[in-house]
Amino acid sequence: MLPGGLEVLGIFLISPSEIYIHLQSKLRQILFALNKALSRDLRFNVSSDSLERILLHICPITNKITTRTFDVNDYKSTAKPADFKYQSNPLRWHRLNSRYTIDAWIPVSKDQCKQNLLKQIHSGLSPSYVAVINATALIDRKMRQDGDLLDPVGEKKKGKQKSKEHSAQKSFNVDLFLSLLTNNNNLKEVEPIDCVASMVVKGTMQCRGYVHIKATVSDAVRAVKQDIIRSLMARCEIQCEDLLLIEEEQNDPSVVHELPRRVFAPLSQSEITVCDYLFQGDSAGDCLNAFQDLLGLTIAENEVEMDCECAPTSLQNYDADVEERLSDAEELVTSGAKNLIVPVISAAVAALVAGLSYLLLQDT
């Protein structure tokens, strides 16, 4: 639900001091478990380089605030004291806008067919994730140095003029350009595989990130890349969870499943928006409970941005493509073979389409 550039820093506890002292060991375990859950796949972790997580305690009796940090990369690490300071003015954020188009055909080997669907998808999209991480970025159609400030104009202002510049949120458009070469492989290194299934992921996603006003160009690009990978992974996870509820429909080649589209809602008293994912036919009211339960946000339906991504208006072209794939496949299959095609259509800007086309061959 967090856009690129925003991360979970740690956990906080509000309790009397004696309870905090008694629970310190348990809180440390929770902090490490939290980090493990957030870093399930370190290969595609494009967040900040910091390996510290924060434990914040507030005593409601004395109003004392205690802050500790842990090096979560070392299970033997001990707590280190850290300063906690209030700001007189709210932190300002710059918004990053981007669109990412993916068109990936993914072969699935015999060994991969033994894995669950989500593992197959993430494994197949692995080259796409790597391509995003290694992509070259333009900020407002300009090539800029990584160490430069994203908004150098604000730093040049002085006095009230500088304060006014910093008080307004600015938006930047980030365009990513992917390399035509994947991991610098040449044709001599390509090896044939025994492919028994295929997967197609195709379409365009709406991406969004946020960075503080003193962020560098590198920070901004990293936030956008993080959002692309995080959003793509989230859609696949939600789709696979939904398929488990309608398992009987998975074996029907005529059924089309659409990946959820992305919607945004404002964070209370902030310029930041958070996101959720809705399936075709869901309304803004269907995501209000998620915002309330997970983030504690109480928002109205009219505050949800529903038009950032849209569903395809016609599936005729995709149905024809599926039938053509099935027809071609049947020529390669002998009697006793099993065919299973599951097209998955996603919702997105300019009709994001993610198709999962499976052809499982047995006894061939």
Side-chain angles (χ1 to χ4, degrees):
M1 300 185 77
L2 297 179
L6 300 186
E7 302 176 39
V8 176
L9 301 180
I11 59 176
F12 69 90
L13 173 69
I14 301 176
S15 73
S17 297
E18 56 271 18
I19 295 180
Y20 167 66
I21 295 174
H22 178 71
L23 292 177
Q24 281 194 26
S25 176
K26 179 63 68 175
L27 292 171
R28 182 180 182 277
Q29 294 178 19
I30 295 175
L31 202 60
F32 277 82
L34 170 67
N35 181 74
K36 184 178 180 180
L38 294 173
S39 307
R40 287 172 295 178
D41 200 333
L42 296 177
R43 293 174 299 167
F44 312 124
N45 186 358
V46 290
S47 59
S48 63
D49 298 328
S50 175
L51 295 175
E52 289 187 337
R53 298 288 180 183
I54 300 172
L55 173 59
L56 177 67
H57 172 249
I58 302 175
C59 179
I61 301 176
T62 62
N63 291 330
K64 181 181 178 181
I65 297 177
T66 304
T67 310
R68 297 286 185 267
T69 63
F70 291 85
D71 181 1
V72 292
N73 198 38
D74 181 10
Y75 283 97
K76 297 181 179 179
S77 65
T78 57
K80 297 180 181 179
D83 293 332
F84 182 90
K85 297 180 180 179
Y86 287 100
Q87 290 191 160
S88 57
N89 298 316
L91 186 63
R92 296 295 179 180
W93 301 84
H94 289 321
R95 175 168 155 176
L96 310 167
N97 301 310
S98 184
R99 290 173 59 184
Y100 174 66
T101 299
I102 182 172
D103 187 356
W105 179 83
I106 305 164
V108 181
S109 66
K110 281 186 177 180
D111 293 337
Q112 290 175 324
C113 276
K114 300 177 183 178
Q115 302 173 348
N116 61 47
L117 179 59
L118 184 58
K119 277 191 174 182
Q120 291 179 21
I121 295 176
H122 284 333
S123 176
L125 289 178
S126 175
S128 298
Y129 298 147
V130 174
V132 169
I133 294 174
N134 296 328
T136 301
L138 298 184
I139 307 294
D140 288 338
R141 300 186 177 183
K142 295 181 180 179
M143 178 73 73
R144 299 179 56 183
Q145 297 297 321
D146 290 346
D148 292 348
L149 288 175
L150 178 63
D151 181 27
V153 177
E155 290 298 311
K156 297 179 181 180
K157 304 295 181 179
K158 296 183 179 180
K160 294 182 179 179
Q161 192 173 5
K162 177 180 178 180
S163 177
K164 184 177 181 180
E165 285 282 344
H166 277 226
S167 64
Q169 182 189 62
K170 291 187 178 180
S171 294
F172 297 86
N173 294 320
V174 181
D175 298 311
L176 295 184
F177 294 86
L178 309 183
S179 173
L180 295 178
L181 300 178
T182 303
N183 297 329
N184 295 323
N185 289 338
N186 55 49
L187 294 178
K188 294 182 180 180
E189 297 174 339
V190 176
E191 297 181 359
I193 64 173
D194 189 358
C195 176
V196 295
S198 66
M199 183 183 307
V200 177
V201 180
K202 182 178 182 180
T204 304
M205 300 189 305
Q206 183 72 27
C207 306
R208 187 176 296 184
Y210 292 90
V211 291
H212 55 83
I213 58 176
K214 294 185 179 180
T216 63
V217 171
S218 177
D219 295 331
V221 173
R222 182 167 53 204
V224 170
K225 292 180 177 181
Q226 180 189 47
D227 187 69
I228 292 173
I229 296 176
R230 179 185 289 173
S231 180
L232 189 54
M233 283 184 165
R235 295 174 202 254
C236 295
E237 291 174 0
I238 294 172
Q239 178 65 30
C240 290
E241 292 174 359
D242 186 68
L243 285 176
L244 293 177
L245 302 177
I246 51 176
E247 186 174 357
E248 67 279 359
E249 295 183 355
Q250 295 187 58
N251 296 325
D252 186 352
S254 64
V255 174
V256 176
H257 302 282
E258 294 184 9
L259 288 179
R261 71 186 189 278
R262 199 176 194 185
V263 298
F264 293 93
L267 196 63
S268 300
Q269 299 179 348
S270 174
E271 300 167 327
I272 294 174
T273 58
V274 289
C275 70
D276 195 14
Y277 298 90
L278 298 178
F279 285 100
Q280 176 69 6
D282 292 341
S283 65
D286 294 317
C287 65
L288 298 184
N289 288 337
F291 286 123
Q292 175 62 46
D293 295 341
L294 298 179
L295 299 177
L297 295 180
T298 302
I299 58 178
E301 290 190 26
N302 58 3
E303 294 182 282
V304 180
E305 298 179 40
M306 296 288 293
D307 56 352
C308 297
E309 297 183 347
C310 58
T313 56
S314 175
L315 303 178
Q316 294 178 354
N317 294 334
Y318 307 115
D319 290 341
D321 181 63
V322 168
E323 291 179 2
E324 181 180 354
R325 290 172 183 267
L326 180 57
S327 176
D328 294 341
E330 286 177 343
E331 297 178 2
L332 304 176
V333 181
T334 61
S335 61
K338 177 183 178 182
N339 302 322
L340 174 60
I341 291 187
V342 184
V344 180
I345 307 300
S346 170
V349 171
L352 164 62
V353 178
L356 302 183
S357 299
Y358 279 84
L359 174 62
L360 304 183
L361 310 182
Q362 298 178 353
D363 303 323
T364 57

